[in-house]
Amino acid sequence: MLIVSANIGEGHNATGRALEGAVRERWPGATVQWLDTLDVLGPGVGPLLRRTYVANVESTPWLYEFFYTAIWRVAWFAAVTRRLVGAWSGRRLARPVARFGPDVVLSTYPMATAGLAWLRRRGRLDARIGAWVPDFAPHPFWVYGSADLTLVMHDVAVGPARRCSPSAAVAVSAPPVRAGFRPGDRAGARQQLGLPPEAFVVLVSCGSLGFGDLRKTVLELLGAHPDVLPVAVCGRNEALARKLRRIGDPRLRVLGWTEEMARYTIAADVVVMNAGGATGLEALACGRPVLMHRPIAAHGRANARLMAEAGLALVSEKDGELAAAVQALLAEPDRLKSMAEAATRHCDSATPLTTVLESLAEGPRNPAPQRLRAEDALFLHVATPQVPQQVGAVLMLDPKADGTPVTHADAVHFLTALPGLRARLLPGGGLWRAKWQEDPARGAEDILTGSEAEPGADFETALTAEMDAFFSAGVTPEHPCRARLVTGLAGGQGALLIALHHAASDGIAVIGALVGRARGKAPVIAPPPGRTNLTQRLKAVRFTRPRSAAKSEAARLARGVWALARAGTAPRVRWETGIDGPERHFARAHLPAPEVRAAARRLGVPTTDLVLALLAESLHRELGAGAPERVRVLIPMSIRDTGTFRQLGNHTGAASVDLPAGPMQLTRRVTVTRDSLRDQVGRGAPRAGNAVVRVLGVLPPWLHRRLARLVYRGTWFSVIASVLPGARSPVSLNGSLMRTAYPVLSLAPGVPVAVGVMTWADRVTVCVTVPAAHTARGDRLAAGVTEAFADLQALAS
């Protein structure tokens, strides 16, 4: 193990010593080496940085505060400085780290972590990286996603750490302090140190450098109460120690550098400090309350805020506040006791250092995040609170052969194949798109909930109520997967409801992965392909395709782009109400698949075209006299091939088709629909649409967002309809037959109707998504598809 620290103050080295002790306790035969980051940054750099740090804290705290605030509030400044520091430190650390060849690297200093993360990103460091933040408040220079594990000191610090780097794996560690810092016998410690047993001992420590106006602090404590006995630890600041000794009060004890810090901490009633670093952690490990008095700029004030939020410290900023706090604790011993108990509880509940080190050395690595593809980013950009973007499925499950319904364990086993199960979306910003980060700790158990249908309720009514409630609550980028197992439906049936953020995947990958899992195939979802530069792409085209084929493909793409460009705005459909919230209603219908295929063959059209013609007929009947001659429908179409069939993300294009919605014979509507689709697909509209989306993705995210919202809305289409391939033969989940599956689509801004169609075994299923205010319309549209097919069959007979 390699411990990378820095000799700047004592806190970083103290943390390193605690880690070394835990390493030797867990692996007695381990080889441990140390590396001081400041020593390898270049001649004179270490002393310069130390002097700069001291000068900033003591002489120009406003400048230190300004820098600290800037790295939190100005994203580009934080990104640039992190990259510069990481590159500088990483290049300097590369040779000594490689010379030692560690299995695990433990960092206790932010510049060290930045450099190690830089080496990992460039493939120059294979060792596992653990980064400890020995302050209560992390900041952006502390936390990097390329580290395998970042350890903070309390639950309240987890959120700020993830704000620093959303891809980081963050956990809470027990305070990294030496073994002597633990709750002990206060009376015995005082006897050994010669301190009076009845006094109220206040240990005043401002770190090894003795920052702050300790003289003023000590005088305020001496004036607070006659029982107060201050013990001032000046560290290596001899000038400060001499100044305090001149006070001359017999109650005051002044110490320089001492190896008895653990015993003094155990002997104290409270610990007063102004930074909250290693001294604060040592106080908490001993179960001692903390008073943060006049915290130093930047990280000192941040530490004080978080420690107070955790209930582990009182904060005083002005003259007299420290004395008042001490007087209050003297008058309310129960309050003092509760603070001490809170510190002890926190340390007892935190994960021990040896356990953390085991999980770091033997657990999964923090996987590298994958940049969000342009096709996927589209759905992230267009999502709003009123129009969340999620796809899903409803799987109907018959009871097993012995009459038992599907169980929670069955569903968990099934959902392990769900694309995006362990993913969370890391926000982008500036010039960088968001990223998907895998969370190895997340499993199917974390996304699956259960629901029991109301006893005696009608099957259709109960299922509709469950769907409406479940899918009206949108998924979030942080939790892009949700699932619910509904049991207790009439006939012993169950329903598995699955929702997935549209930026994570399209419906084909979801259904394909789930069907594969049900049939015993390995739940492997290939990651998105790595980025390639333009030269590599051109070479791929040149050497994998004949030149004539490449020219033909390019000409087809150009025709498709031209067709999109001249399509213009969609014919206006006068929906009575818009989308005023995320609440949705889902209407369902199903048709006999063999009869649908037979009707399509009889009419000489593909099955997909026939189903879309039935939808056009339903729209005509619903819109009545106010229906336009044509309704523009956006039809997502898969462009997956054997290389992308099981990859995450959206591998789709789209055809914008004007379906006939005016008065005409039903058979005529079928042939017009076929011709419209053939025209769009023949011109390469799906791949052209995909190409346009990819081109937009080259733009900076802020501009991509604006253009995405401009093109994906009701101005250009009025309905979304997708025909998805399902299972052509029966599918079983641990003996429970999946008789039916309904695909669930999301709406688009200004587009209040979306229709998902899927062939599943012997049924063609239809699921209509509408806003909750359009409930009756959704039911009529679903019923209209069924009625239109019945009329078509009657015409044929």
Side-chain angles (χ1 to χ4, degrees), residues 208-221:
S208 64
L209 299 176
F211 285 140
D213 192 349
L214 245 67
R215 185 176 186 280
K216 200 169 186 179
T217 299
V218 166
L219 290 174
E220 186 169 341
L221 288 170

Side-chain angles (χ1 to χ4, degrees), residues 386-387 577-584 747-753 771 774:
Q386 291 74 32
V387 193
T577 57
I579 306 172
D580 54 4
E583 294 78 17
R584 299 288 182 264
L747 303 178
V751 182
V753 176
H774 293 224

